[in-house]
Amino acid sequence: MYKRQGTGSNGNDDAFAWVPLVDIPAGTVITFTDSGWKPAPAPGGFRSTEGAVEYTAPAGGLQAGTVMLLEFSLGNVAPGFDPILTPSGGGGTYAVSTDGAVGARLPQIAESGDQVIAFEGAAAVPTFLWAWKNEGPFDADATSADTSALPTGLTVGTNAIAVGSGAATNANRYVGTTAGTPAQLASAIADPANWQAVADAPFPNASNDLTNGVASFTIGPNTPPSVNAGDDQSIVLSATTSLGGVVTDDGLPNPPGAVTLQWAKVSGPGEVTFSSATTAGTTATFSVAGTYVVSLTADDGEATVSDELTITVSPPAATGAPNPALAARCLPRPDPGEVNNQG
């Protein structure tokens, strides 16, 4: 996500740009607002005296990686005035929000502080997607038009960013990598080191180009999960063994954006009981002695990968068996006189 406050070459006053890191289905509505988030009273809510625009994805959806730019005129909010919205990118439509919970007017992005917050759903119960804050860090509360708390559920460095370090800027743009997996790109976009800011537009090297000349990001293909079930083990029956599987994934495809895990018995003479069959770290017990093979499987929604390990279960050591040395010492000995009489 990018942001500019000021006058652009086409006469528009404000602008912001954004890029979807996953494909967006047709008809999906995303709201962008400069209204600050107030965390209390729970569950929180927007400072509803500002504004918002709603984006609706086109028929056929919006392809991941498409850079979307929206320029818009300020001040056209009085009765009889129509806001000027100038979009570019991968299609779809924008409209000024009519949701009073977030402010039913055109946003007005200030250079001192301010924010752009993206969410789905109604403003009263939003599902937050991303938050960008100028003149960071995020505030404890939204007490003015230019302040905002970090929206509930978002994390700075993952899906939220605060730029400016307390300095007012009216032009900010992302200048980091534009190729990678969604997780890699999200991490890069959320890193302030990958942003360029100027106090007054234009940017020094691109004639006020908010998108840095980038029309699209390259979203990496899905890489199957990496699964390591652990080393082979040997235990004694009735003992519990710990299983420490290791699974890594790139977060694709999204949805689901996460892997599901499953431990299972592949072979063996008895039953295997897992304390948790759906977590990488778990424990297992066995009903009878023998050699068992168990597997850990990871499914990312597109690719399924498994790894196996062998667990040898020995019977417990026998108890109460006679000691041969002790038994020999307890054998009856002949009487010495009887021995002599035999001679």
Side-chain angles (χ1 to χ4, degrees), residues 16 39 56 78 87 101 113 117 119-120 126 141 148 151 163 182 189 205 210 233 251 260 262 272 312 338 341:
F16 67 86
T56 302
I117 299 172
F119 66 90
E120 289 185 272
D141 197 1
S148 177
V163 299
I189 294 170
N205 61 348
L210 186 64
Q233 300 183 35
T260 57
Q262 185 68 52
V272 181
T312 302
E338 294 177 353
N341 290 334

Side-chain angles (χ1 to χ4, degrees), residues 126-151:
T127 299
F128 290 111
L129 304 175
W130 195 276
W132 175 92
K133 179 77 171 67
N134 187 22
E135 198 175 351
F138 282 90
D139 308 287
D141 197 1
T143 57
S144 69
D146 303 337
T147 58
S148 177
L150 179 66

Side-chain angles (χ1 to χ4, degrees), residues 194-225:
N194 293 326
W195 285 72
Q196 180 184 32
V198 294
D200 295 295
F203 286 103
N205 61 348
S207 185
N208 204 24
D209 184 356
L210 186 64
T211 63
N212 198 29
V214 177
S216 64
F217 283 38
T218 301
I219 309 298
N222 176 42
T223 299

Side-chain angles (χ1 to χ4, degrees), residues 167-241:
T169 56
N170 69 356
N172 298 266
R173 66 179 179 183
Y174 173 73
V175 293
T177 182
T178 58
T181 66
Q184 291 168 339
L185 288 169
S187 177
I189 294 170
D191 184 352
N194 293 326
W195 285 72
Q196 180 184 32
V198 294
D200 295 295
F203 286 103
N205 61 348
S207 185
N208 204 24
D209 184 356
L210 186 64
T211 63
N212 198 29
V214 177
S216 64
F217 283 38
T218 301
I219 309 298
N222 176 42
T223 299
S226 172
V227 182
N228 185 344
D231 296 330
D232 295 344
Q233 300 183 35
S234 295
I235 66 169
V236 175
L237 184 65
S238 79
T240 298
T241 186

Side-chain angles (χ1 to χ4, degrees), residues 220-316:
N222 176 42
T223 299
S226 172
V227 182
N228 185 344
D231 296 330
D232 295 344
Q233 300 183 35
S234 295
I235 66 169
V236 175
L237 184 65
S238 79
T240 298
T241 186
S242 295
L243 302 175
V246 177
V247 176
T248 58
D249 188 58
D250 62 1
L252 292 177
N254 190 354
V259 295
T260 57
L261 305 179
Q262 185 68 52
W263 284 98
K265 169 191 164 184
V266 177
S267 63
E271 297 295 324
V272 181
T273 302
F274 300 94
S275 60
S276 174
T278 58
T279 58
T282 187
T283 61
T285 56
F286 304 84
S287 61
V288 298
T291 299
Y292 295 80
V293 176
V294 299
S295 67
L296 174 61
T297 300
D299 183 356
D300 68 2
E302 184 176 279
T304 301
V305 179
S306 297
D307 189 37
E308 299 178 350
L309 76 153
T310 299
I311 302 175
T312 302
V313 182
S314 302

